[in-house]
Amino acid sequence: MLKNVDVSIYNAVNTFVQNNHTFPQKEIVEGLAENAVGLTALHNITLSDEQQQTFEDLKAKISSGQIKIKLDQ
């Protein structure tokens, strides 16, 4: 898993600036849809074309909200 901290920081600063130097919510949760996390290059295994397509399809469905991931809070 890859955490795109630069994206999260940019999004947080942008939200802060656009909201009169305040955060509209106490917590900010970001994931695939915001490009805040991703999958690092796999060097130990090679995905087949079918596996790679399945991964891309699932990633798109999670990003769009079609598949929901429940967070325990």
Side-chain angles (χ1 to χ4, degrees):
M1 180 159 125
L2 181 65
K3 294 182 180 180
N4 297 325
V5 177
D6 59 327
V7 173
S8 294
I9 291 171
Y10 174 83
N11 291 343
V13 170
N14 193 36
T15 297
F16 185 78
V17 169
Q18 289 183 351
N19 289 282
N20 200 26
H21 298 118
T22 61
F23 288 106
Q25 55 200 34
K26 184 178 178 181
E27 296 178 5
I28 299 172
V29 178
E30 295 186 323
L32 284 173
E34 297 80 18
N35 197 31
V37 295
L39 185 63
T40 188
L42 300 173
H43 298 287
N44 298 344
I45 63 170
T46 302
L47 298 178
S48 69
D49 290 343
E50 182 180 347
Q51 291 170 322
Q52 184 65 40
Q53 187 59 53
T54 299
F55 170 76
E56 295 298 332
D57 291 346
L58 289 170
K59 186 172 133 181
K61 287 178 180 179
I62 292 169
S63 295
S64 72
Q66 188 175 356
I67 294 177
K68 302 226 184 273
I69 307 295
K70 292 185 179 184
L71 301 175
D72 293 331
Q73 293 183 353

